[in-house]
């Protein structure tokens, strides 16, 4: 990345609330006004196809709350909770199974949370057995799991490998002790290193490390030290997320007072130094928050312009419909989304009544589909080729988006992008502000309640 001058006025202009576009429209547009029966009909219609499946299981339990966390979690020290939860996951799978086309193969499996490794190793084996007995997993399934090293044993990882997991993702966030104390997550580097070694010993094919920039007391020198330490572990992928400060949605974040958080211009510097350091080590900058080694399938998909974006971030399995299980989980099929109840009692209550725990969702219009495709290609390809987009959408791209393309003149003047007669190309600065550029193609951006989202910087 070339030298980037962080202009304070430019930061002020573009530091606005905006979606991360893991879906379009964002989940804030989901509604509970559509009856569950409609979604059951949509799911049944979706299963007239034998398209591939991606399965997601939300395992919400954590022993303690990290104060930066924006996930849907249940904080408890009661280990019995996880065993009870598995019984309800089994009920949900059994209710969904009659709607599914048995010819569909699972090409992607993901455990997220919460902390999936809150479950005991034998509970992981039990959940794996439930899944294998109800779904057909492809021989080359990509199976990823999020692990927390703070209460992890080697047997957890052995159990995960036994049920088919081959990719591990570990949250580190920051190695600096001052930062860790400020966010209520004490995780010494030696602990992280031990778990990475275990992952490789038991046969995980890929190790991903999650970092967060924008946390309390972070500075460019301190975050550089974290990067240098983590680089010694040689992870296959990095996910480096922008801390989403939304205390009105996540009350625990009120503990993190604004005066101890890095300024927006410092956050941009943190992202810039991250990109420069990781790319200098041979990692490819995939998009908004992901990096992968040059030979990784994510990097290959980006070069071939087949990369996709969904609720799990960037993915190479974009042709698959996502069927998600567990409280608050979001499913995504062709043309619609549906989400389970976000609170444990409501999730359990629906299943006790013999009903799928559907809470809300969204059925896309034709225009939504056009804009979803456009925003996804922008986020994945870091630019737009007008001829390719016209073929993809089945209509003249420049004509359909004439107003949006004209609206980008100020962004071009600010150095975020370059417009040519045939394409839109993001600059280095534009890559950092890609959410802002995507918002210009979002039909709902001007009417949306801004306080539902974190700021883009």
């Amino acid at each position: 990345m070339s030298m980037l001058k962080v202009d304070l006025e430019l930061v002020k202009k573009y530091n606005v609330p905006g979606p991360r576009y893991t879906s379009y429209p964002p989940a804030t547009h989901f509604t509970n006004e559509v009856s569950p029966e409609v979604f059951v009909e949509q799911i049944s219609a979706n299963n007239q196809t034998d398209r591939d499946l991606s399965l997601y299981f939300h395992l919400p339990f954590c022993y303690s709350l990290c104060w930066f966390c924006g996930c849907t979690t249940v904080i408890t020290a009661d280990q019995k909770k996880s065993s009870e939860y598995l019984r309800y996951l089994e009920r949900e799978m059994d209710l969904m199974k009659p709607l599914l086309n048995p010819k569909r193969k699972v090409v992607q499996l993901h455990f997220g949370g919460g902390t999936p490794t809150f479950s005991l190793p034998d509970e992981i084996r039990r959940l794996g057995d439930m899944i294998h007995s109800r779904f057909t997993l492809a021989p080359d399934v990509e199976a990823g799991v999020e692990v927390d090293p703070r209460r992890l044993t080697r047997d957890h990882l052995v159990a995960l490998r036994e049920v088919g997991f081959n990719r591990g993702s570990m949250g580190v966030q920051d190695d600096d002790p001052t930062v860790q104390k400020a966010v209520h997550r004490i995780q010494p580097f030696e602990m992280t290193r031990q778990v990475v070694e275990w992952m490789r010993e038991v046969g995980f094919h890929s190790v991903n490390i999650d970092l967060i920039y924008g946390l309390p007391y972070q500075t460019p020198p301190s975050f550089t030290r974290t990067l240098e330490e983590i680089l010694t572990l040689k992870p296959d992928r990095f996910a480096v997320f922008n801390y989403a400060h939304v205390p009105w949605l996540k009350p625990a974040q009120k503990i993190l007072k604004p005066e101890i958080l890095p300024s927006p211009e410092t956050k941009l510097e943190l992202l810039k130094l991250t990109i420069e350091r990781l790319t200098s080590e041979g990692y490819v900058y995939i998009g908004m928050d992901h990096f992968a080694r040059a030979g990784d399938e994510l990097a290959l998909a980006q070069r071939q312009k087949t990369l996709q974006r969904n609720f799990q971030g960037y993915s190479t399995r974009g042709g698959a419909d996502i069927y998600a299980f567990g409280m608050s989980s979001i499913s995504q099929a062709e043309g619609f989304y549906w989400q389970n109840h976000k609170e444990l009692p409501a999730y359990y209550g629906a299943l006790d009544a013999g009903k799928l725990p559907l809470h809300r969702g969204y059925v896309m219009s034709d225009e939504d589909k056009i804009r979803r495709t456009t925003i996804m290609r922008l986020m994945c390809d870091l630019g737009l080729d007008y001829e390719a987009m016209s073929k993809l959408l089945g209509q003249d791209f420049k004509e359909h988006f004439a107003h949006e393309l004209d609206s980008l003149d100020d962004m071009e003047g600010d150095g975020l992008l370059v417009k040519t007669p045939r394409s839109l190309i993001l600059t280095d600065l534009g890559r950092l502000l890609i959410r802002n550029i995507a918002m210009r193609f979002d039909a709902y951006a001007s009417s949306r309640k801004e306080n539902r989202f974190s700021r883009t910087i």
Side-chain angles (χ1 to χ4, degrees):
M1 172 169 280
S2 59
M3 290 301 293
L4 174 67
K5 290 185 66 177
V6 183
D7 183 280
L8 184 56
E9 291 306 311
L10 209 59
V11 168
K12 289 178 180 177
K13 176 179 179 180
Y14 290 109
N15 188 27
V16 297
R20 294 179 58 85
Y21 293 113
T22 50
S23 71
Y24 181 86
T28 51
H29 282 258
F30 294 0
T31 175
N32 55 13
E33 295 176 3
V34 182
S35 70
E37 290 75 21
V38 169
F39 288 109
V40 171
E41 291 173 7
Q42 293 276 347
I43 293 167
S44 297
N46 176 254
N47 279 278
Q48 299 307 305
T49 178
D50 57 2
R51 281 163 56 99
D52 290 337
L53 285 177
S54 174
L55 300 183
Y56 173 75
F57 288 83
H58 190 76
L59 306 175
F61 302 109
C62 293
Y63 283 101
S64 62
L65 180 63
C66 304
W67 291 335
F68 58 80
C69 183
C71 301
T72 302
T73 61
V74 176
I75 308 301
T76 180
D78 184 358
Q79 184 62 55
K80 296 176 183 177
K81 296 279 187 182
S82 59
S83 179
E84 179 186 29
Y85 188 75
L86 292 190
R87 292 197 296 273
Y88 282 95
L89 281 178
E90 187 169 31
R91 290 186 194 179
E92 185 182 0
M93 283 187 271
D94 286 340
L95 287 171
M96 180 62 74
K97 188 177 179 181
L99 303 177
L100 293 173
N101 183 339
K103 295 181 180 179
R104 304 185 78 170
K105 284 189 170 56
V106 176
V107 297
Q108 194 173 49
L109 172 65
H110 191 83
F111 285 1
T115 304
T117 49
F118 178 97
S119 301
L120 298 172
D122 282 346
E123 291 172 342
I124 291 170
R125 294 180 175 98
R126 180 176 150 210
L127 178 54
D129 288 343
M130 291 178 194
I131 295 167
H132 283 274
S133 65
R134 291 166 175 80
F135 298 95
T136 302
L137 273 63
D140 63 342
V141 63
E142 179 187 278
V145 59
E146 299 167 17
V147 305
D148 182 343
R150 293 174 297 167
R151 290 179 177 84
L152 189 77
T153 67
R154 193 176 186 278
D155 194 34
H156 279 95
L157 298 174
V158 170
L160 288 164
R161 282 294 293 134
E162 287 175 359
V163 302
F165 283 89
N166 48 38
R167 292 183 178 274
S169 182
M170 178 170 23
V172 173
Q173 325 317 347
D174 195 303
D175 280 343
D176 188 279
T178 301
V179 177
Q180 291 186 359
K181 182 178 179 181
V183 299
H184 198 232
R185 185 187 177 95
I186 305 301
Q187 183 178 322
F189 174 68
E190 286 304 310
M191 181 185 291
T192 298
R193 185 171 62 81
Q194 175 67 84
V195 173
V196 170
E197 289 177 356
W198 283 345
M199 282 184 178
R200 292 187 170 130
E201 284 174 9
V202 303
F204 279 80
H205 301 164
S206 178
V207 176
N208 172 83
I209 297 292
D210 288 349
L211 301 176
I212 296 179
Y213 67 96
L215 295 177
Y217 303 113
Q218 282 179 333
T219 65
S222 75
F223 203 60
T224 297
R225 288 192 294 272
T226 289
L227 288 173
E228 296 301 332
E229 284 189 328
I230 299 302
L231 280 168
T232 65
L233 305 178
K234 303 186 184 304
D236 301 279
R237 296 178 182 177
F238 278 88
V240 187
F241 297 108
N242 178 359
Y243 166 56
H245 190 60
V246 285
W248 53 92
L249 296 177
K250 297 294 178 180
Q253 292 185 355
K254 294 176 182 177
I255 297 168
L256 308 181
K257 301 300 182 184
E259 58 267 23
I260 66 173
L261 298 175
S263 66
E265 55 270 31
T266 299
K267 288 181 74 175
L268 267 186
E269 284 288 3
L270 293 172
L271 179 56
K272 174 179 175 287
L273 73 85
T274 298
I275 295 170
E276 290 176 344
R277 187 66 190 95
L278 296 186
T279 54
S280 75
E281 287 291 323
Y283 292 89
V284 177
Y285 181 35
I286 299 301
M288 192 170 77
D289 42 32
H290 281 60
F291 300 80
R293 293 197 176 279
D296 190 280
E297 60 180 340
L298 272 185
L300 180 62
Q302 187 185 56
R303 289 197 296 273
Q304 296 176 341
K305 296 190 183 298
T306 58
L307 191 66
Q308 306 289 324
R309 188 163 171 81
N310 57 34
F311 286 106
Q312 276 79 62
Y314 287 99
S315 170
T316 61
R317 311 295 174 101
D321 294 324
I322 300 173
Y323 277 61
F325 298 86
M327 61 167 273
S328 83
S329 64
I330 300 176
S331 300
Q332 175 181 343
E334 190 60 29
F336 65 108
Y337 305 97
W338 68 97
Q339 183 174 23
N340 284 347
H341 285 287
K342 297 179 73 173
E343 302 294 335
L344 209 54
Y347 173 73
Y348 285 169
L351 291 167
D352 283 337
K355 298 178 180 178
L356 285 169
L358 306 177
H359 172 52
R360 60 180 193 149
Y362 187 86
V363 179
M364 281 179 271
S365 67
D366 289 341
E367 182 65 18
D368 288 334
K369 295 175 185 178
I370 289 171
R371 291 178 181 269
R372 177 193 62 180
T373 299
T374 299
I375 289 173
M376 183 172 67
R377 294 276 38 102
L378 176 68
M379 301 289 283
C380 293
D381 301 338
L382 306 176
L384 294 169
D385 179 294
Y386 300 155
E387 183 179 352
M389 290 302 300
S390 295
K391 289 180 181 178
L392 188 60
L393 298 175
Q395 56 184 286
D396 189 300
F397 178 81
K398 287 183 70 175
E399 181 179 316
H400 189 90
F401 286 105
H403 171 73
E404 286 80 2
L405 292 172
D406 286 343
S407 79
L408 296 171
D409 287 348
D410 67 321
M411 289 187 161
E412 185 172 33
D414 290 335
L416 275 63
L417 53 89
V418 176
K419 291 198 294 181
T420 76
R422 297 184 177 182
S423 65
L424 181 71
I425 304 166
L426 271 59
T427 64
D428 286 345
L429 178 61
R431 286 181 168 204
L432 306 189
L433 299 173
I434 193 169
R435 289 164 69 185
N436 300 80
I437 299 169
M439 286 166 68
R440 297 292 174 95
F441 295 92
D442 182 342
Y444 306 105
S446 61
S447 59
R448 185 181 290 129
K449 291 182 179 179
E450 289 190 337
N451 67 354
R452 301 299 300 276
F453 300 103
S454 62
R455 291 184 176 270
T456 56
I457 301 176

